[in-house]
Amino acid sequence: MSDTGSVVGIIGGTGLTTLSGLEVKGARTVDTPWGVPSSDLTEGCLDGQSVMFLSRHGNPHRIPPHEVNYRANIKALYDAGVRTVVGVNAVGGIHSDMGPACVVIPDQIIDYTWGRAGTFFEGDLEAVTHIDFTWPYDQAARDILIRAATNCQVPFAGFGVYGATQGPRLETAAEIRRMERDGCDLVGMTGMPEAALAAELGMRYVCLGLVVNRAAGKSDHIITMEEIEAAIEQGMSGVRQILENSMADLGALASLSQSS
Ligand code: HPA
């Protein structure tokens, strides 16, 4: 897989520590100037497309959202030739359309995280660098995922503002009400700084969110791990179907990036 750009990167989150359906060709243990990524990179083929898979929380699932080395993860994928990344995230639904097992392909982010290493542009720099981040998710990749979700008849929302919180605790009901007033439709703990780091390296990045609970205060009960696990069980097959169904188009998009 030395053909830089034509391989699609998938970062699996909670509930997607390994990618069933991936025809595994090998695993790479890698290091980066920013440290070691959360897991080995698994090289494989999904629906005929070259894929590099990384487990965001490690394998087994052990690294909490605020301790993920996002820089190492993104740089490891970049060094492996990836220029197009799908980040899969378990999220809470704030918008009334976003109930458990709904898939969301958001279009915007608000970042509420703090204290995370969130840029490659620091330290011994020749010049201060600011990237444009108006549209955090790649529109062409979003269109592909939305088409795939439609093809697969998976319940989905093709819009949404992702509010990225620090975790690992879930939010209070008042925090969710504030986020709703801010315009957030979904809430998760791992969307940032991952998206910004990918943008800093010029990679196409898109989020595939799986709603695993209604956000705090949005249902008549408190959030339990049992509820989350049940929604993962129910919804992850839809995520897998969308990934498989989108691979040919994402691969074509990735090849385009390679030549541009
Ligand atoms: N809040 C934050 N992150 C989450 C949630 C939530 O309700 N559900 C899954 N990830």
Side-chain angles (χ1 to χ4, degrees):
M1 280 188 194
S2 55
D3 49 341
T4 298
S6 62
V7 51
V8 173
I10 299 176
I11 303 179
T14 300
L16 199 71
T17 300
T18 58
L19 185 58
S20 62
L22 183 70
E23 201 186 310
V24 176
K25 305 267 193 241
R28 295 188 197 177
T29 304
V30 296
D31 200 357
T32 80
W34 307 98
V36 179
S38 301
S39 75
D40 285 353
L41 299 183
T42 305
E43 298 180 55
C45 235
L46 186 63
D47 201 39
Q49 168 60 39
S50 295
V51 162
M52 199 66 78
F53 179 83
L54 185 148
S55 173
R56 185 185 290 114
H57 298 281
N59 184 10
H61 185 275
R62 65 177 196 289
I63 309 170
H66 63 294
E67 286 182 346
V68 169
N69 188 339
Y70 295 93
R71 289 195 293 199
N73 288 354
I74 292 294
K75 186 64 163 69
L77 288 172
Y78 185 90
D79 289 347
V82 171
R83 297 293 180 270
T84 301
V85 180
V86 182
V88 180
N89 305 80
V91 296
I94 299 176
H95 192 289
S96 56
D97 288 355
M98 297 177 186
C102 175
V103 167
V104 187
I105 299 137
D107 50 75
Q108 276 296 335
I109 303 175
I110 298 178
D111 188 6
Y112 300 91
T113 66
W114 48 269
R116 299 183 180 188
T119 181
F120 292 112
F121 296 129
E122 63 182 16
D124 190 16
L125 293 179
E126 279 169 22
V128 173
T129 305
H130 303 284
I131 56 149
D132 175 76
F133 200 45
T134 309
W135 302 106
Y137 299 117
D138 184 77
Q139 187 56 43
R142 291 189 65 251
D143 288 343
I144 290 170
L145 293 186
I146 288 170
R147 211 160 43 236
T150 309
N151 291 342
C152 298
Q153 298 185 310
V154 170
F156 77 98
F159 66 93
V161 178
Y162 181 124
T165 55
Q166 179 69 0
R169 67 165 176 83
L170 297 167
E171 299 69 35
T172 65
E175 285 170 335
I176 293 296
R177 284 200 300 272
R178 182 185 72 167
M179 291 178 75
E180 193 171 26
R181 287 195 299 276
D182 285 353
C184 295
D185 299 301
L186 57 151
V187 53
M189 300 174 191
T190 50
M192 284 293 283
E194 194 170 277
L197 290 164
E200 284 191 349
L201 295 187
M203 300 160 95
R204 292 181 190 270
Y205 181 90
V206 68
C207 167
L208 191 54
L210 174 66
V211 179
V212 295
N213 57 279
R214 288 206 186 267
K218 289 286 167 193
S219 71
D220 56 6
H221 55 269
I222 61 161
I223 302 162
T224 63
M225 284 310 292
E226 289 73 29
E227 169 190 8
I228 289 178
E229 278 155 21
I232 289 174
E233 182 74 26
Q234 196 193 333
M236 209 41 95
S237 72
V239 167
R240 289 199 188 90
Q241 282 175 54
I242 294 170
L243 286 172
E244 272 189 50
N245 193 277
S246 61
M247 270 309 125
D249 288 346
L250 285 174
L253 184 66
S255 303
L256 259 184
S257 322
Q258 177 188 14
S259 52
S260 62

Tab-separated table of all heavy atoms in Angstrom, residues 14 65 89-94 162-171 176 179 186-190 210-216 223 228, ligand 1:
chain	number	residue	atom	x	y	z
A	14	THR	N	-15.964	3.589	19.895
A	14	THR	CA	-16.647	2.651	20.798
A	14	THR	C	-17.600	1.781	19.996
A	14	THR	O	-18.383	2.287	19.193
A	14	THR	CB	-17.431	3.462	21.862
A	14	THR	OG1	-16.494	4.248	22.577
A	14	THR	CG2	-18.188	2.545	22.806
A	65	PRO	N	-11.606	8.968	26.060
A	65	PRO	CA	-11.569	9.997	25.012
A	65	PRO	C	-10.533	11.097	25.246
A	65	PRO	O	-9.873	11.536	24.306
A	65	PRO	CB	-12.984	10.594	25.050
A	65	PRO	CG	-13.841	9.518	25.618
A	65	PRO	CD	-12.972	8.723	26.552
A	89	ASN	N	-17.952	7.392	15.245
A	89	ASN	CA	-18.093	7.853	16.630
A	89	ASN	C	-19.434	7.428	17.219
A	89	ASN	O	-20.471	7.623	16.576
A	89	ASN	CB	-18.060	9.393	16.697
A	89	ASN	CG	-16.821	9.984	16.048
A	89	ASN	OD1	-16.751	10.102	14.829
A	89	ASN	ND2	-15.853	10.352	16.834
A	90	ALA	N	-19.409	6.930	18.442
A	90	ALA	CA	-20.668	6.752	19.197
A	90	ALA	C	-21.037	8.128	19.744
A	90	ALA	O	-20.179	8.853	20.242
A	90	ALA	CB	-20.453	5.768	20.338
A	91	VAL	N	-22.292	8.488	19.630
A	91	VAL	CA	-22.718	9.833	20.050
A	91	VAL	C	-24.049	9.771	20.797
A	91	VAL	O	-24.790	8.787	20.711
A	91	VAL	CB	-22.868	10.789	18.833
A	91	VAL	CG1	-21.534	11.009	18.139
A	91	VAL	CG2	-23.918	10.278	17.842
A	92	GLY	N	-24.344	10.871	21.490
A	92	GLY	CA	-25.665	11.052	22.087
A	92	GLY	C	-26.493	11.938	21.174
A	92	GLY	O	-25.969	12.851	20.536
A	93	GLY	N	-27.788	11.667	21.117
A	93	GLY	CA	-28.664	12.464	20.243
A	93	GLY	C	-29.303	13.607	21.025
A	93	GLY	O	-29.920	13.379	22.063
A	94	ILE	N	-29.145	14.818	20.529
A	94	ILE	CA	-29.815	15.989	21.123
A	94	ILE	C	-31.058	16.318	20.292
A	94	ILE	O	-32.151	16.516	20.832
A	94	ILE	CB	-28.854	17.206	21.169
A	94	ILE	CG1	-27.626	16.889	22.032
A	94	ILE	CG2	-29.593	18.446	21.686
A	94	ILE	CD1	-26.570	17.986	22.066
A	162	TYR	N	-22.060	18.644	15.531
A	162	TYR	CA	-21.471	17.744	16.525
A	162	TYR	C	-20.841	18.597	17.630
A	162	TYR	O	-19.910	19.350	17.365
A	162	TYR	CB	-20.413	16.884	15.823
A	162	TYR	CG	-19.686	15.862	16.680
A	162	TYR	CD1	-19.678	14.521	16.339
A	162	TYR	CD2	-18.970	16.236	17.819
A	162	TYR	CE1	-19.000	13.572	17.098
A	162	TYR	CE2	-18.300	15.293	18.585
A	162	TYR	CZ	-18.322	13.973	18.214
A	162	TYR	OH	-17.651	13.042	18.980
A	163	GLY	N	-21.351	18.465	18.840
A	163	GLY	CA	-20.736	19.138	19.988
A	163	GLY	C	-19.757	18.180	20.643
A	163	GLY	O	-20.162	17.119	21.109
A	164	ALA	N	-18.480	18.557	20.644
A	164	ALA	CA	-17.452	17.661	21.185
A	164	ALA	C	-17.161	18.045	22.633
A	164	ALA	O	-16.708	19.163	22.909
A	164	ALA	CB	-16.178	17.757	20.348
A	165	THR	N	-17.462	17.138	23.565
A	165	THR	CA	-17.266	17.408	24.992
A	165	THR	C	-16.053	16.635	25.512
A	165	THR	O	-15.563	15.710	24.870
A	165	THR	CB	-18.517	17.024	25.805
A	165	THR	OG1	-18.839	15.652	25.530
A	165	THR	CG2	-19.701	17.904	25.442
A	166	GLN	N	-15.609	17.032	26.697
A	166	GLN	CA	-14.360	16.504	27.231
A	166	GLN	C	-14.487	15.081	27.771
A	166	GLN	O	-13.587	14.286	27.612
A	166	GLN	CB	-13.867	17.461	28.337
A	166	GLN	CG	-12.597	17.043	29.018
A	166	GLN	CD	-11.387	17.131	28.112
A	166	GLN	OE1	-11.484	17.518	26.948
A	166	GLN	NE2	-10.238	16.748	28.620
A	167	GLY	N	-15.618	14.766	28.422
A	167	GLY	CA	-15.744	13.442	29.013
A	167	GLY	C	-14.708	13.243	30.112
A	167	GLY	O	-14.010	14.176	30.482
A	168	PRO	N	-14.512	12.018	30.602
A	168	PRO	CA	-15.275	10.848	30.192
A	168	PRO	C	-16.694	10.797	30.783
A	168	PRO	O	-17.480	9.963	30.370
A	168	PRO	CB	-14.438	9.672	30.696
A	168	PRO	CG	-13.648	10.217	31.840
A	168	PRO	CD	-13.412	11.663	31.549
A	169	ARG	N	-16.997	11.694	31.713
A	169	ARG	CA	-18.373	11.662	32.223
A	169	ARG	C	-19.322	12.153	31.130
A	169	ARG	O	-18.939	12.909	30.238
A	169	ARG	CB	-18.513	12.551	33.463
A	169	ARG	CG	-18.351	14.040	33.163
A	169	ARG	CD	-18.846	14.920	34.289
A	169	ARG	NE	-18.598	16.331	34.013
A	169	ARG	CZ	-19.389	17.106	33.273
A	169	ARG	NH1	-20.464	16.605	32.689
A	169	ARG	NH2	-19.090	18.375	33.071
A	170	LEU	N	-20.565	11.726	31.229
A	170	LEU	CA	-21.593	12.280	30.346
A	170	LEU	C	-21.989	13.662	30.859
A	170	LEU	O	-21.534	14.100	31.920
A	170	LEU	CB	-22.787	11.327	30.282
A	170	LEU	CG	-22.439	9.955	29.679
A	170	LEU	CD1	-23.565	8.961	29.927
A	170	LEU	CD2	-22.158	10.068	28.192
A	171	GLU	N	-22.837	14.370	30.116
A	171	GLU	CA	-23.156	15.756	30.430
A	171	GLU	C	-24.288	15.840	31.456
A	171	GLU	O	-25.032	14.883	31.659
A	171	GLU	CB	-23.578	16.503	29.146
A	171	GLU	CG	-22.503	16.545	28.087
A	171	GLU	CD	-22.213	15.204	27.449
A	171	GLU	OE1	-23.153	14.396	27.270
A	171	GLU	OE2	-21.029	14.936	27.146
A	176	ILE	N	-26.536	19.992	28.319
A	176	ILE	CA	-27.149	19.628	27.030
A	176	ILE	C	-28.093	20.736	26.564
A	176	ILE	O	-28.117	21.099	25.390
A	176	ILE	CB	-27.863	18.261	27.123
A	176	ILE	CG1	-26.831	17.143	27.323
A	176	ILE	CG2	-28.733	17.998	25.886
A	176	ILE	CD1	-25.842	16.934	26.175
A	179	MET	N	-25.976	23.335	25.119
A	179	MET	CA	-25.457	22.917	23.808
A	179	MET	C	-26.539	23.043	22.734
A	179	MET	O	-26.264	23.428	21.603
A	179	MET	CB	-24.932	21.476	23.888
A	179	MET	CG	-23.670	21.357	24.737
A	179	MET	SD	-23.098	19.650	24.882
A	179	MET	CE	-22.399	19.398	23.257
A	186	LEU	N	-25.948	16.754	18.124
A	186	LEU	CA	-25.420	15.499	18.651
A	186	LEU	C	-24.227	15.827	19.535
A	186	LEU	O	-23.632	16.908	19.402
A	186	LEU	CB	-25.043	14.523	17.533
A	186	LEU	CG	-24.050	14.967	16.474
A	186	LEU	CD1	-23.296	13.772	15.936
A	186	LEU	CD2	-24.736	15.686	15.323
A	187	VAL	N	-23.919	14.907	20.441
A	187	VAL	CA	-22.830	15.151	21.381
A	187	VAL	C	-21.965	13.910	21.469
A	187	VAL	O	-22.459	12.796	21.529
A	187	VAL	CB	-23.385	15.569	22.776
A	187	VAL	CG1	-24.411	14.587	23.311
A	187	VAL	CG2	-22.266	15.774	23.786
A	188	GLY	N	-20.653	14.147	21.418
A	188	GLY	CA	-19.711	13.037	21.529
A	188	GLY	C	-18.421	13.549	22.129
A	188	GLY	O	-18.237	14.759	22.291
A	189	MET	N	-17.517	12.624	22.439
A	189	MET	CA	-16.294	13.034	23.150
A	189	MET	C	-15.038	12.930	22.295
A	189	MET	O	-13.952	13.250	22.774
A	189	MET	CB	-16.117	12.165	24.398
A	189	MET	CG	-17.269	12.258	25.373
A	189	MET	SD	-17.066	11.083	26.718
A	189	MET	CE	-18.678	11.179	27.485
A	190	THR	N	-15.178	12.447	21.059
A	190	THR	CA	-13.960	12.146	20.296
A	190	THR	C	-13.872	12.850	18.938
A	190	THR	O	-12.909	12.639	18.204
A	190	THR	CB	-13.858	10.625	20.063
A	190	THR	OG1	-15.114	10.167	19.539
A	190	THR	CG2	-13.546	9.885	21.344
A	210	LEU	N	-22.886	7.142	15.310
A	210	LEU	CA	-23.989	6.240	15.657
A	210	LEU	C	-24.562	6.712	16.992
A	210	LEU	O	-23.840	6.771	17.999
A	210	LEU	CB	-23.491	4.791	15.782
A	210	LEU	CG	-24.559	3.809	16.287
A	210	LEU	CD1	-25.701	3.656	15.275
A	210	LEU	CD2	-23.946	2.445	16.601
A	211	VAL	N	-25.846	7.071	16.979
A	211	VAL	CA	-26.483	7.512	18.223
A	211	VAL	C	-26.696	6.293	19.125
A	211	VAL	O	-27.318	5.316	18.712
A	211	VAL	CB	-27.834	8.204	17.946
A	211	VAL	CG1	-28.491	8.633	19.260
A	211	VAL	CG2	-27.643	9.418	17.035
A	212	VAL	N	-26.143	6.369	20.329
A	212	VAL	CA	-26.259	5.223	21.245
A	212	VAL	C	-27.121	5.546	22.463
A	212	VAL	O	-27.382	4.687	23.293
A	212	VAL	CB	-24.859	4.691	21.665
A	212	VAL	CG1	-24.124	4.139	20.457
A	212	VAL	CG2	-24.034	5.751	22.363
A	213	ASN	N	-27.524	6.784	22.580
A	213	ASN	CA	-28.452	7.179	23.666
A	213	ASN	C	-28.998	8.562	23.333
A	213	ASN	O	-28.398	9.302	22.559
A	213	ASN	CB	-27.722	7.257	25.022
A	213	ASN	CG	-26.539	8.217	25.000
A	213	ASN	OD1	-25.458	7.858	24.532
A	213	ASN	ND2	-26.755	9.428	25.470
A	214	ARG	N	-30.169	8.885	23.927
A	214	ARG	CA	-30.604	10.276	23.875
A	214	ARG	C	-29.769	11.029	24.901
A	214	ARG	O	-29.488	10.515	25.980
A	214	ARG	CB	-32.094	10.391	24.173
A	214	ARG	CG	-32.943	9.859	23.019
A	214	ARG	CD	-34.319	10.511	22.979
A	214	ARG	NE	-35.138	9.879	21.963
A	214	ARG	CZ	-35.248	10.305	20.700
A	214	ARG	NH1	-34.597	11.374	20.296
A	214	ARG	NH2	-36.008	9.665	19.843
A	215	ALA	N	-29.354	12.246	24.535
A	215	ALA	CA	-28.462	13.015	25.410
A	215	ALA	C	-29.135	13.291	26.751
A	215	ALA	O	-30.375	13.207	26.876
A	215	ALA	CB	-28.080	14.318	24.713
A	216	ALA	N	-28.322	13.649	27.741
A	216	ALA	CA	-28.804	13.830	29.117
A	216	ALA	C	-30.010	14.769	29.164
A	216	ALA	O	-29.977	15.855	28.578
A	216	ALA	CB	-27.671	14.388	29.980
A	223	ILE	N	-28.999	7.835	31.717
A	223	ILE	CA	-28.312	7.059	30.667
A	223	ILE	C	-27.559	5.898	31.319
A	223	ILE	O	-26.803	6.108	32.269
A	223	ILE	CB	-27.342	7.977	29.892
A	223	ILE	CG1	-28.113	9.154	29.285
A	223	ILE	CG2	-26.580	7.196	28.825
A	223	ILE	CD1	-27.239	10.324	28.867
A	228	ILE	N	-26.645	1.900	26.224
A	228	ILE	CA	-25.646	2.220	25.195
A	228	ILE	C	-25.227	0.949	24.459
A	228	ILE	O	-25.160	0.906	23.222
A	228	ILE	CB	-24.436	2.946	25.842
A	228	ILE	CG1	-24.872	4.361	26.268
A	228	ILE	CG2	-23.236	2.982	24.902
A	228	ILE	CD1	-23.798	5.183	26.959
B	1	HPA	N1	-22.498	12.417	25.519
B	1	HPA	C1	-21.214	12.457	25.123
B	1	HPA	N2	-20.639	11.470	24.438
B	1	HPA	C2	-21.378	10.409	24.140
B	1	HPA	C3	-22.723	10.302	24.523
B	1	HPA	C4	-23.311	11.362	25.248
B	1	HPA	O1	-24.488	11.344	25.634
B	1	HPA	N3	-23.156	9.108	24.071
B	1	HPA	C5	-22.114	8.523	23.423
B	1	HPA	N4	-21.038	9.309	23.461
